[in-house]
Amino acid sequence: MRVQEICLEQRPREKALQQGIRSLSDAELLALILGSGTRTCPVMDLAADVLKATSSLADWDSFTPASFMKIPGIREAKALHLVASVDLARRIRRAKAFRSRPFDFNEVLEWCQLEFGMSPLEQFAAVFLDARGRILSSRVLIVGTQTESLVSIKGAFRAALQEDAAQVMFIHNHPSGDVTPSLDDIETTRALEEAGTTMGIHVVDHLIVGGSSWLSMKHAGYMKGE
């Protein structure tokens, strides 16, 4: 049954307009994004096929257009629509986090998980803040391999000085999804904190993210100043 043949109240578009976008199921929302099905597969069936093939929405931020195009019925245009919807969600989280005055830990954490949590490569990044805790900018400092990244303490604080930051929050991801800090993570955190003290730049925290998990080195007691 095609979208045109579905009872008016059940069409994703009309349902969203009448009851609100949050009234839609995952399949209905996805059907709205896809816009249409194929000659042999109505859009609601195609949406169900996509959800079944991708297993979990939590994995979508690691999908590329090529990944989605492996699903029957999904060609370049629809694959780009799907990738664009995921990246828009990430950008909304970033904009929300960076709008915070002052810095809001939970909003920045949500952005970090979307930005880095599902990356197959280990990345080391920083969020730079002024003395009043307002976000100035963020920057990926290093992209490593699947198992390691080489953190440059000097490079990290060179970037902080370039941004005229009074405070900095460091983030890196574990592609494995296990956010348990390694000995290297602990030593790096302490080296960053000591360098910050020397340079007069406060290290707010060092977050480890992986999948939907996260760990704050500050809250876990790994930072000497805490």
Side-chain angles (χ1 to χ4, degrees):
M1 186 165 58
R2 298 183 181 280
V3 170
Q4 290 87 346
E5 299 170 329
I6 300 175
C7 177
L8 181 63
E9 290 76 19
Q10 295 179 340
R11 294 180 188 172
R13 183 180 300 175
E14 282 73 18
K15 183 177 178 180
L17 289 172
Q18 293 173 10
Q19 301 177 38
I21 197 72
R22 293 191 178 183
S23 69
L24 302 184
S25 66
D26 289 347
E28 290 170 331
L29 184 60
L30 183 52
L32 195 61
I33 293 170
L34 292 172
S36 64
T38 67
R39 288 185 178 181
T40 59
C41 186
V43 67
M44 285 299 298
D45 290 346
L46 181 58
D49 289 345
V50 171
L51 290 174
K52 183 178 180 180
T54 54
S55 298
S56 172
L57 291 174
D59 298 331
W60 276 35
D61 52 5
S62 65
F63 275 59
T64 63
S67 302
F68 283 115
M69 288 172 67
K70 293 178 181 178
I71 302 170
I74 300 297
R75 295 190 176 182
E76 187 176 87
K78 293 186 187 302
L80 287 173
H81 287 169
L82 295 174
V83 172
S85 67
V86 174
D87 202 58
L88 182 60
R90 179 187 64 80
R91 295 185 189 199
I92 289 171
R93 287 297 183 190
R94 184 182 189 278
K96 187 176 180 181
F98 280 45
R99 182 187 61 191
S100 299
R101 296 292 188 269
F103 166 89
D104 184 297
F105 177 84
N106 290 328
E107 290 183 353
V108 172
L109 174 61
E110 288 181 2
W111 167 69
C112 289
Q113 288 180 303
L114 281 172
E115 184 79 12
F116 308 110
M118 297 302 295
S119 172
L121 299 178
E122 191 164 357
Q123 299 183 66
F124 179 72
V127 174
F128 304 107
L129 305 98
D130 66 14
R132 297 172 65 182
R134 296 176 298 188
I135 296 175
L136 299 171
S137 65
S138 70
R139 190 187 302 185
V140 174
L141 302 175
I142 301 168
V143 178
T145 67
Q146 289 187 336
T147 57
E148 64 178 351
S149 67
L150 301 176
V151 175
S152 167
I153 306 299
K154 184 182 294 185
F157 284 96
R158 183 184 299 116
L161 291 172
Q162 290 171 347
E163 298 293 335
D164 197 24
Q167 306 181 72
V168 60
M169 179 178 188
F170 294 107
I171 308 105
H172 86 274
N173 66 303
H174 284 180
S176 67
D178 181 358
V179 296
T180 304
S182 65
L183 179 59
D184 183 61
D185 291 335
I186 296 169
E187 292 176 346
T188 296
T189 299
R190 290 176 176 167
L192 289 167
E193 189 176 20
E194 290 172 1
T197 299
T198 300
M199 300 188 68
I201 298 175
H202 175 57
V203 177
V204 176
D205 205 340
H206 180 189
L207 291 182
I208 301 174
V209 296
S212 59
S213 301
W214 63 278
L215 180 137
S216 159
M217 298 296 277
K218 173 184 175 181
H219 297 161
Y222 290 108
M223 293 179 66
K224 291 181 179 179
E226 299 300 327

